[in-house]
Amino acid sequence: MPNDDSRKDDPIDFDELDEMPDVVMGENTRVMKVMHEKGVNPQQQTDEDTGEQTEEKVEEPAEITAHTSAEPAPIKEDTSSSVPHLSREQAHLDAMKRADEIVEQPREQEEVSEDTQSNTMKHALSNEDEIPESLTDDDPGVKDELSDVYQKEEENQETQVLKTDSPKEEKLEKPAKSANAGATQQTSGTAPLFEDIKEESEPHDADNDTVAQLIANRKTPMKQKVIAIILAVFVALLLFGGWNVYQGFQPEQTESETVSFTVSSGETMKTITQNLQDQGIIRNAEVAYVYARYKKYDKVIYGQFSLDKSWTLDRIFTTLSDADKANAESASVTIVEGDWAKDAAAKIAKVTNVTSDDLIALWSNKEWIESEMTKYPFLTEDMFKDGVRIYMEGYLAPNTYYFDSDTTAEAVTEKILDQSLAVYQKYADQITASGRSIADIYTMASIIQYEAGSSADDLKNVAGVFYNRLAADMPLQSSVTVCYAIDFDKQSDNWQACEVNSDYDSPYNTYKNKGLPPGPIENAGETAIEAAINPADNDYYYFMADVYGDGTIYYAKTYEEHEANVAKYLNK
């Protein structure tokens, strides 16, 4: 508020004040306006009594009382108006005091204080005078003068209420300070008021908790979404797995179809269930294996069984567990890895009514083989190259088979080809991806099977050597092809005969003819077929086996290295 001394001599335009509403004017101005209406010069009266009135009002209580000075006031001339004279300083002090009391005290005490002050002002004025609206206003002029402060305080309070429901309400409802504390604040002017406002505007710890809670609430939907997605995936996998299990228990087909199934010596339940799936008798080998273990079908009966593709798992395993269901008249024949076709035919002829010549004739019958190509896709036209000795050579999968004593060459051959199909289907996609023909893969597999034996690593390395030679346009120079060419009995352990006949005239002789021979030279196993599809990536061009020692195969990049290995391990 500006200093009163600077405005002491300024004339007051009361006509202009008449046009202003009471709510705009301060309390002191309203009183002076009333005195002006009663014919009293408020400026003169104020100048004469400023000193004395100020001293009296500073010592008196905060309530506004009537003028009780023993000395007659200069304005006693007009006895009809006994309006108390208030200096500007006193009005300012009273206004500040009431402002402090309003902020410090609860709303109930604030209303009582305002009513008391209003009644005191009314009593100070003559009963005949009209009481200005400003003196009965619930919001006295001091609030108008501090309206900006109160408006800021109210905005701060509204903001705090929006942030949290309880902390600021509790602060507003605290009990009023003691009278001594109020007096102490009065002597310091308006500082307590602004300190309280600052105190109200400072953030509370609860606000930080509220903000953290809001952030947590915003994160909650994301967590819920993630959990929902995980649950949905889990349910989907559960349903998918349940559906697969359900399908695994269903028969392979609804129509009855009797097939022959052989359980060979040494096969485990896992191998049996896999063979059942490969031959199209059941749907899911894993489900069948778990079911067999759960139902304790642990007893394995070797032999040949007649099964039906429309049977349930329980009926299939019940049949396979019954020795009486095995064909008592069946005879087992084992084709080993590396057997020639003529060897397999001889074994079958020993236990069946089919002769070896009947089987060799069928295996060399192009028309019959072509009629089986639709059923057995690994049989292709590449089998019929010029110079091929037996067309079915290399396509008779090694395994143990059970044949009826009274059977036919066609039935025997189809049983063997069923097993060959099961092996082929495992690698059909890889063969296609390799870019090589099925006939070339089976031919290479037969050569490396003969050269490297059963070691998977040696099979892959030897395959790498031969593919390196083919890429370099070098002859394979494999002695085992000469052995097949001269029809030497490999069981005699006379491998020197193959080594010394490298000039033997035959399309199978890879010393005289570049590239692969016309067809396979024996019946390779599954491991050799996989090695022919996926050979080792090496830079070897030569190898030799220590036939006098432990059979280790030694590889060489150059012919000089190879000669050194031969001298060291063969010519010692």
Side-chain angles (χ1 to χ4, degrees), residues 34-52:
V34 174
M35 295 173 63
H36 173 71
E37 292 174 353
K38 299 304 180 180
V40 180
N41 188 345
Q43 289 178 316
Q44 179 180 0
Q45 187 70 19
T46 301
D47 293 339
E48 293 175 357
D49 296 340
T50 297
E52 181 181 0

Side-chain angles (χ1 to χ4, degrees), residues 171-298:
K171 183 170 286 187
L172 291 175
E173 294 175 2
K174 288 181 180 179
K177 295 182 180 179
S178 64
N180 293 336
T184 304
Q185 290 181 358
Q186 271 190 330
T187 58
S188 61
T190 60
L193 171 64
F194 292 101
E195 288 177 0
D196 289 343
I197 295 175
K198 180 180 180 182
E199 218 177 338
E200 289 291 316
S201 63
E202 289 178 353
H204 190 268
D205 290 342
D207 298 341
N208 296 332
D209 296 340
T210 303
V211 173
Q213 184 63 35
L214 292 175
I215 295 174
N217 291 339
R218 282 196 292 267
K219 291 182 179 178
T220 299
M222 180 59 68
K223 293 180 180 178
Q224 293 175 347
K225 290 180 180 178
V226 172
I227 294 174
I229 292 173
I230 294 174
L231 289 176
V233 172
F234 175 77
V235 172
L237 292 176
L238 187 63
L239 292 175
F240 179 75
W243 174 255
N244 284 338
V245 172
Y246 171 78
Q247 289 294 317
F249 278 100
Q250 304 307 307
E252 174 64 23
Q253 60 189 43
T254 57
E255 297 180 358
S256 177
E257 181 182 350
T258 302
V259 295
S260 179
F261 181 75
T262 301
V263 179
S264 302
S265 176
E267 289 184 340
T268 64
M269 183 58 69
K270 184 173 285 294
T271 302
I272 293 171
T273 55
Q274 186 61 50
N275 291 338
L276 287 169
Q277 177 180 317
D278 294 340
Q279 296 182 30
I281 301 174
I282 62 174
R283 294 193 177 194
N284 192 304
E286 294 180 356
V287 173
Y289 173 74
V290 173
Y291 177 79
R293 295 297 300 272
Y294 174 74
K295 298 289 289 186
K296 299 186 183 306
Y297 289 116
D298 298 328

Side-chain angles (χ1 to χ4, degrees), residues 122-138:
K122 292 178 183 179
H123 179 71
L125 298 175
S126 173
N127 293 334
E128 298 177 359
D129 296 336
E130 180 180 356
I131 301 175
E133 182 180 356
S134 62
L135 297 180
T136 62
D137 187 8
D138 292 338

Side-chain angles (χ1 to χ4, degrees), residues 175-450:
K177 295 182 180 179
S178 64
N180 293 336
T184 304
Q185 290 181 358
Q186 271 190 330
T187 58
S188 61
T190 60
L193 171 64
F194 292 101
E195 288 177 0
D196 289 343
I197 295 175
K198 180 180 180 182
E199 218 177 338
E200 289 291 316
S201 63
E202 289 178 353
H204 190 268
D205 290 342
D207 298 341
N208 296 332
D209 296 340
T210 303
V211 173
Q213 184 63 35
L214 292 175
I215 295 174
N217 291 339
R218 282 196 292 267
K219 291 182 179 178
T220 299
M222 180 59 68
K223 293 180 180 178
Q224 293 175 347
K225 290 180 180 178
V226 172
I227 294 174
I229 292 173
I230 294 174
L231 289 176
V233 172
F234 175 77
V235 172
L237 292 176
L238 187 63
L239 292 175
F240 179 75
W243 174 255
N244 284 338
V245 172
Y246 171 78
Q247 289 294 317
F249 278 100
Q250 304 307 307
E252 174 64 23
Q253 60 189 43
T254 57
E255 297 180 358
S256 177
E257 181 182 350
T258 302
V259 295
S260 179
F261 181 75
T262 301
V263 179
S264 302
S265 176
E267 289 184 340
T268 64
M269 183 58 69
K270 184 173 285 294
T271 302
I272 293 171
T273 55
Q274 186 61 50
N275 291 338
L276 287 169
Q277 177 180 317
D278 294 340
Q279 296 182 30
I281 301 174
I282 62 174
R283 294 193 177 194
N284 192 304
E286 294 180 356
V287 173
Y289 173 74
V290 173
Y291 177 79
R293 295 297 300 272
Y294 174 74
K295 298 289 289 186
K296 299 186 183 306
Y297 289 116
D298 298 328
K299 185 179 180 181
V300 178
I301 305 298
Y302 305 118
Q304 187 178 27
F305 298 85
S306 293
L307 304 178
D308 197 306
K309 292 186 177 181
S310 64
W311 286 358
T312 63
L313 290 179
D314 186 70
R315 186 170 181 181
I316 289 174
F317 286 114
T318 299
T319 301
L320 294 178
S321 301
D322 189 352
D324 295 335
K325 299 293 183 180
N327 191 343
E329 297 180 357
S330 64
S332 64
V333 174
T334 301
I335 300 176
V336 298
E337 297 173 347
D339 265 350
W340 287 345
K342 69 173 187 175
D343 296 329
K347 292 177 179 179
I348 296 170
K350 287 182 179 180
V351 295
T352 66
N353 63 324
V354 179
T355 67
S356 176
D357 292 339
D358 291 339
L359 290 171
I360 295 298
L362 183 65
W363 295 347
S364 299
N365 187 330
K366 181 179 179 181
E367 292 181 357
W368 182 84
I369 294 174
E370 287 179 336
S371 69
E372 297 289 309
M373 285 183 178
T374 303
K375 185 177 180 180
Y376 304 107
F378 54 89
L379 303 178
T380 66
E381 292 293 333
D382 290 336
M383 299 171 61
F384 310 124
K385 292 179 181 178
D386 294 338
V388 173
R389 180 176 294 175
I390 302 175
Y391 294 143
M392 292 295 295
E393 186 80 82
Y395 300 94
L396 306 175
N399 200 358
T400 298
Y401 299 94
Y402 289 86
F403 304 108
D404 293 336
S405 298
D406 186 10
T407 185
T408 63
E410 289 80 5
V412 168
T413 303
E414 287 184 344
K415 183 180 289 292
I416 297 173
L417 293 180
D418 286 341
Q419 178 62 26
S420 299
L421 177 62
V423 175
Y424 166 76
Q425 289 175 335
K426 295 180 181 180
Y427 303 99
D429 293 340
Q430 296 184 47
I431 293 174
T432 301
S434 71
R436 302 181 178 93
S437 68
I438 298 174
D440 286 349
I441 292 295
Y442 278 72
T443 299
M444 178 63 77
S446 70
I447 296 174
I448 63 177
Q449 182 80 78
Y450 205 154

Side-chain angles (χ1 to χ4, degrees), residues 534-552:
N534 303 297
D537 184 11
N538 57 43
D539 53 358
Y540 299 130
Y541 289 88
Y542 304 90
F543 69 91
M544 55 83 57
D546 183 7
V547 295
Y548 295 116
D550 57 3
T552 301

